Amino acid sequence: MVAVPARHRTHRIVFANEKGGTGKSTTAVHVAVALSYLGARVTMLDLDPRQRTSHRYMENRYNTMQRRGLHLPTPACEVFKGRSDSALNLKIEKLEKDCDFLVIDNPGRDDPLARCAVEQADTLVTPMNDSFVDFDLIGQVDPENFNVKKLSFFAELIWEARIKRSRATVSGERMQMDWIVVRNRTGHTEARNMARINKALTEMSKRVGFRVTPGLSERVIFRELFPSGLTLLDKGHLGDLGTSHLVARQELRTLVMALNLPEIVKSKPSLEPT
């Protein structure tokens, strides 16, 4: 993480992918809790009032803390139920008065409010599975040699959002948007397919300027933790952990560091193993 400037400004992290099943909400929740463990004030905004996966996760977490008498670092979380860009912008302005990081979890579909949120991102995170089904959201490849043929709709959307954002950057209102593609569930990817996707992502990243980082592998522990709202960082409350769980925790630490977020640490906390 990098040091923040003297003039503090809330950092907006938007998790966006128009395809479901990529681990978007799981990644968003774990990053938000990780930042809370680092001593930052974190608020989550769930933009899917129907599924509200992030909000349900936090509800489960609060219920577990109350039931067990625990106090765990936990972000605040709200569900946005407005219907206009202006209402969303007002909500963002209101929430960021009391937090260091605002984590926005977009719905897994094309949505006008999701587009608006993307334009507000300081850090844009797009989780994807290591498959060309998911890659198709970003770019289309030649079926014979797997070279990238053209940008897909979502990549074009981000490109336009970054152009709009550059005006605010020039005026000093916001920093330049950092777009990061997170490769989740790589553990089940066949080696040749992984190499092809890596080649396509490398080519695409040079065209549109995103960074690529490893994310969270496919592990049962993530699905098991949802009912309790606990995360891999809640050491001492998860019972006996196997080797795969410890590896998953290290994956999370690596991901948080790779996001290269501003360092807003309030006390002694650390994500390092104890």
Side-chain angles (χ1 to χ4, degrees):
M1 294 186 179
V2 297
V4 294
R7 181 169 175 253
H8 167 59
R9 177 180 286 148
T10 297
H11 193 89
R12 304 167 184 169
I13 311 172
V14 178
F15 286 78
N17 189 324
E18 293 177 7
K19 184 181 179 301
T22 62
K24 176 177 58 61
S25 294
T26 297
T27 307
V29 165
H30 274 74
V31 168
V33 171
L35 292 171
S36 296
Y37 262 102
L38 287 170
R41 299 172 302 162
V42 185
T43 296
M44 297 194 72
L45 184 60
D46 192 329
L47 293 194
D48 193 338
R50 184 173 181 179
Q51 293 192 13
R52 60 190 192 92
T53 304
S54 291
H55 191 258
R56 285 284 296 121
Y57 206 117
M58 289 299 105
E59 282 183 335
N60 294 343
R61 187 173 180 84
Y62 279 109
N63 290 337
T64 295
M65 287 192 293
Q66 184 177 29
R67 187 172 62 253
R68 298 187 186 180
L70 302 175
H71 177 72
L72 301 172
T74 301
C77 187
E78 291 191 23
V79 177
F80 180 70
K81 298 180 180 179
R83 298 184 178 181
S84 67
D85 290 3
S86 58
L88 177 58
N89 289 331
L90 287 173
K91 172 60 74 173
I92 290 174
E93 291 178 9
K94 178 181 179 181
L95 292 178
E96 66 182 8
K97 291 179 181 179
D98 299 313
C99 61
D100 302 312
F101 293 96
L102 178 61
V103 178
I104 301 177
D105 186 11
N106 272 8
R109 61 179 182 272
D110 182 25
D111 183 278
L113 293 177
R115 298 185 193 184
C116 178
V118 164
E119 294 180 4
Q120 305 300 321
D122 296 315
T123 298
L124 177 66
V125 183
T126 301
M128 63 167 281
N129 300 322
D130 253 29
S131 79
F132 280 106
V133 174
D134 280 24
F135 183 86
D136 193 65
L137 184 76
I138 302 173
Q140 298 179 14
V141 298
D142 186 289
E144 301 297 333
N145 56 26
F146 296 95
N147 291 331
V148 177
K149 295 193 300 183
K150 65 176 183 178
L151 304 184
S152 292
F153 174 79
F154 185 73
E156 292 178 346
L157 171 66
I158 305 305
W159 180 262
E160 293 173 0
R162 296 180 82 179
I163 291 176
K164 292 181 181 179
R165 181 55 177 272
S166 64
R167 300 166 189 160
T169 302
V170 171
S171 65
E173 297 175 23
R174 305 296 301 186
M175 61 187 291
Q176 185 61 268
M177 182 192 298
D178 185 16
W179 183 16
I180 305 164
V181 172
V182 176
R183 299 174 68 177
N184 279 340
R185 297 172 177 164
T186 56
H188 289 246
T189 305
E190 184 263 332
R192 184 173 62 174
N193 183 61
M194 184 182 293
R196 288 171 173 170
I197 292 174
N198 184 65
K199 176 177 178 293
L201 280 171
T202 300
E203 181 181 348
M204 183 63 76
S205 67
K206 294 176 181 178
R207 289 195 187 187
V208 295
F210 58 72
R211 297 191 289 119
V212 182
T213 186
L216 307 178
S217 299
E218 177 65 271
R219 300 186 189 278
V220 176
I221 184 65
F222 292 112
R223 296 190 293 273
E224 292 180 339
L225 288 175
F226 176 80
S228 67
L230 296 177
T231 72
L232 288 169
L233 295 173
D234 300 314
K235 300 185 291 290
H237 307 289
L238 302 176
D240 295 330
L241 298 181
T243 302
S244 64
H245 299 160
L246 298 177
V247 171
R249 183 185 291 167
Q250 185 56 47
E251 288 176 347
L252 175 60
R253 294 190 187 101
T254 301
L255 170 60
V256 172
M257 296 305 296
L259 295 181
N260 197 31
L261 300 171
E263 186 176 6
I264 308 179
V265 179
K266 302 301 181 183
S267 56
K268 59 175 176 53
S270 170
L271 296 182
E272 294 304 313
T274 57

